[in-house]
């Protein structure tokens, strides 16, 4: 069975390293590491939901504890009827606008809802 | 406070590195959603390369031995974020042709041609817009990340 976890010295570099299943953490290429303490990874800062009451086209929520502009993914039940619950994009890009800073997220839509719509969002910590 | 990290044998008699989410005792974790990291997963989300790319621009990055998962988000001219371009798997008007390493949509395409290059670098290209005029003017930039995660 392959060595999978190395906490300490790996090829002269100290850190925490975890290889993908089937690869020996001590000998495999860096490309096969599923965790590498030298590199950044995608992490979830927060997630939640925003309700757009009927007729409301813009909502803003605060973001706490970030020093950079994050990336936001979102989906909703309205879209899920059409897109199978997938993230809003493609045709709906032009119908939704996200203005996100390090301290707040504002979502705006050009769509007109006749009943409340809940948007589910995930804020990813990806410093570009 | 909950125990959150196991390096060794876990409560399911498996060996590895296990980190539970805040508030969950890793000694009692059993479901995928209980973990923030689990070495039993098939892959992680290590960022290999990331950046912001403009329409018509190509960026180069060190080659990976497999087709990586690439995620990209449209960015408007004022810097605000649009939706995500979903890459590395086919969906609706986007398609992935195995072996050609190319993803396209009706409006956008971002290609990865690492295996085709010989100089040790892969590249991401955000070609000039080829769809209706409104989208190109709305999303002239894209942020992207290349993950050390095989796309398939």
């Amino acid at each position: 069975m392959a060595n999978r976890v190395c906490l300490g010295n790996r090829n002269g570099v100290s850190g925490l390293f975890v290889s993908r299943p089937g690869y020996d953490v001590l000998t495999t290429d860096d490309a096969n590491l599923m965790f590498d303490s030298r590199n950044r990874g995608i992490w979830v800062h927060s997630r939640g939901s925003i309700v757009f009451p009927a007729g409301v086209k813009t909502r803003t929520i605060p973001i706490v504890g970030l020093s950079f502009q994050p990336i936001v993914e979102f989906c909703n039940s309205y879209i899920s009827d059409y897109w199978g619950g997938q993230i809003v994009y493609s045709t709906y890009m032009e119908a939704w606008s996200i203005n996100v800073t390090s301290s707040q997220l504002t979502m705006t839509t050009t769509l007109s809802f006749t009943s409340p719509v809940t948007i589910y969002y995930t804020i990813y910590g990806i410093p570009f | 406070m909950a125990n959150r990290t196991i390096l060794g044998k876990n409560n399911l008699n498996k060996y590895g590195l296990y980190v539970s989410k805040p508030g969950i005792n890793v000694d009692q974790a059993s479901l995928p959603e209980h973990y923030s990291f689990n070495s039993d997963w098939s892959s992680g989300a290590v960022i290999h390369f990331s950046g912001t790319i403009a329409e018509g621009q190509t960026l180069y990055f060190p080659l990976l031995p497999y087709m990586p998962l690439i995620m990209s988000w449209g960015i408007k001219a004022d810097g605000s974020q649009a939706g995500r371009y979903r890459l590395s798997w086919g969906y609706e008007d986007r398609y992935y042709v195995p072996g050609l390493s190319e993803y396209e949509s009706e409006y956008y395409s971002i290609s990865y041609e690492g295996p085709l290059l010989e100089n040790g670098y892969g590249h991401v290209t955000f070609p000039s817009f080829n769809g209706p005029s409104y989208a190109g003017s709305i999303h002239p930039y894209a942020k992207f990340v290349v993950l050390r995660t095989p796309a398939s």
Side-chain angles (χ1 to χ4, degrees), chain B:
Chain B
M1 193 170 77
N3 297 320
R4 300 229 8 245
T5 305
I6 290 177
L7 176 57
K9 186 177 180 181
N10 71 3
N11 57 319
L12 302 175
N13 292 320
K14 303 184 82 172
Y15 287 88
L17 175 62
Y18 306 94
V19 182
S20 61
K21 290 181 178 177
I24 295 179
N25 192 327
V26 70
D27 297 315
Q28 299 173 354
S30 57
L31 301 174
E33 57 266 35
H34 290 164
Y35 296 95
S36 58
F37 184 85
N38 185 330
S39 58
D40 293 339
W41 291 339
S42 62
S43 192
V46 175
I47 296 175
H48 179 65
F49 189 78
S50 64
T52 301
I53 191 170
E55 185 179 10
Q57 188 180 13
T58 296
L59 295 181
Y60 293 86
F61 56 86
L63 193 62
L64 287 167
Y66 46 75
M67 165 66 79
L69 176 63
I70 302 173
M71 300 172 72
S72 184
W73 297 266
I75 302 297
K76 301 177 183 179
D78 65 1
S80 63
Q81 181 195 330
R84 176 157 68 97
Y85 305 147
R86 190 170 189 176
L87 302 178
S88 297
W89 55 85
Y91 189 80
E92 291 292 329
D93 55 349
R94 293 167 171 74
Y95 61 88
Y96 165 49
V97 181
L100 294 182
S101 307
E102 184 173 358
Y103 313 92
E104 285 196 22
S105 74
E106 181 182 355
Y107 304 141
Y108 300 94
S109 68
I110 291 181
S111 60
Y112 170 80
E113 300 181 13
L116 304 178
L117 300 181
E118 297 178 352
N119 61 0
Y121 287 86
H123 71 248
V124 172
T125 298
F126 190 36
S128 295
F129 175 71
N130 59 1
S133 59
Y134 65 84
S137 60
I138 291 176
H139 311 136
Y141 304 98
K143 289 185 176 181
F144 71 93
V145 292
V146 179
L147 299 177
R148 288 182 181 171
T149 303
S152 59

Side-chain angles (χ1 to χ4, degrees), chain A residues 4-5 18 20-21 31 34-35 39-42 47 69 71-73 83 86-87 89-90 93 97-98 128, chain B residues 7 38-39 41-42 44-47 50 64-66 73 76 79-81 84-86 91-92 143-144 150:
Chain A
R4 296 280 317 284
V5 180
V18 181
R20 295 170 52 213
M34 62 184 293
F35 184 86
N39 289 70
R40 296 174 294 132
I42 293 179
R47 58 186 179 181
Q69 180 188 35
I71 284 292
V72 178
E73 301 273 12
W83 293 102
Q86 301 299 330
I87 294 163
Y89 67 105
S90 189
M93 278 184 176
S97 172
I98 306 173
F128 286 91
Chain B
L7 176 57
N38 185 330
S39 58
W41 291 339
S42 62
V46 175
I47 296 175
S50 64
L64 287 167
Y66 46 75
W73 297 266
K76 301 177 183 179
S80 63
Q81 181 195 330
R84 176 157 68 97
Y85 305 147
R86 190 170 189 176
Y91 189 80
E92 291 292 329
K143 289 185 176 181
F144 71 93

